[in-house]
Amino acid sequence: MAKLPGERQVEEYLQNLVHPLKREIEEVRRIVLGTDRELSEHVKWNAPSFCFHDDDRITFNLHGNGFFRLVLHRGAKAKESINVKRYFEDVQGLMEWVTNDRATIKFTDIKDVEVKRELLKEVVRRWVDVTL
């Protein structure tokens, strides 16, 4: 059986997803995809993941109770250590830094998604730029 194209993988994944914040997850997906035409998506690590030039950059973490996260990272394979954090100001506390090149953004409900919409777009654009 042939592997589904990335976008179709995500659509099927979301169709079958049972999550109390499914609407919010779908909206965050639309926001992220709308920030850069060169972003693609597929399912990796059992969740939707966004790629830039086929390199994973942002992945959903849907394991929270009453929330979900976007994980901003530099892909699955170890890369030269750089301090991506220095390219970001606090961004009003939007990002929680796990390491110098990995951060998360937490969402709790649709109001939270709406409040973070413009900052999220800015962070995604910048993340793609500085993690090449």
Side-chain angles (χ1 to χ4, degrees):
M1 187 167 169
K3 187 174 175 182
L4 292 173
E7 181 180 355
R8 187 67 197 121
Q9 288 176 24
V10 174
E11 288 169 357
E12 191 171 285
Y13 177 94
L14 290 173
Q15 233 174 11
N16 296 316
L17 179 66
V18 177
H19 193 287
L21 298 172
K22 184 174 180 174
R23 173 179 163 216
E24 290 83 349
I25 292 162
E26 291 171 335
E27 186 59 24
V28 168
R29 174 186 178 225
R30 280 189 286 277
I31 294 166
V32 171
L33 286 173
T35 62
D36 192 313
R37 292 179 314 166
E38 293 187 59
L39 281 174
S40 60
E41 61 182 342
H42 65 154
V43 174
K44 189 159 188 173
W45 303 298
N46 196 33
S49 187
F50 303 96
C51 302
F52 186 76
H53 295 201
D54 296 323
D55 200 5
D56 290 284
R57 288 287 176 255
I58 302 168
T59 303
F60 277 98
N61 175 325
L62 305 176
H63 301 295
N65 188 9
F67 65 90
F68 65 93
R69 289 187 174 100
L70 278 182
V71 180
L72 295 92
H73 54 85
R74 295 177 59 216
K77 296 183 174 143
K79 295 183 174 58
E80 177 186 332
S81 180
I82 64 168
N83 186 353
V84 176
K85 186 176 179 179
R86 69 187 168 125
Y87 294 100
F88 290 84
E89 293 179 29
D90 181 47
V91 196
Q92 285 98 6
L94 182 69
M95 300 167 73
E96 184 177 315
W97 290 92
V98 180
T99 65
N100 283 336
D101 67 350
R102 183 177 299 262
T104 62
I105 302 172
K106 183 177 179 180
F107 298 93
T108 56
D109 58 30
I110 198 65
K111 287 171 94 172
D112 191 34
V113 171
E114 290 304 323
V115 165
K116 293 175 179 172
R117 176 182 297 275
E118 294 307 314
L119 286 174
L120 177 59
K121 290 179 189 178
E122 179 183 325
V123 165
V124 168
R125 280 189 209 95
R126 180 161 219 134
W127 191 266
V128 168
D129 279 348
V130 300
T131 60
L132 291 177

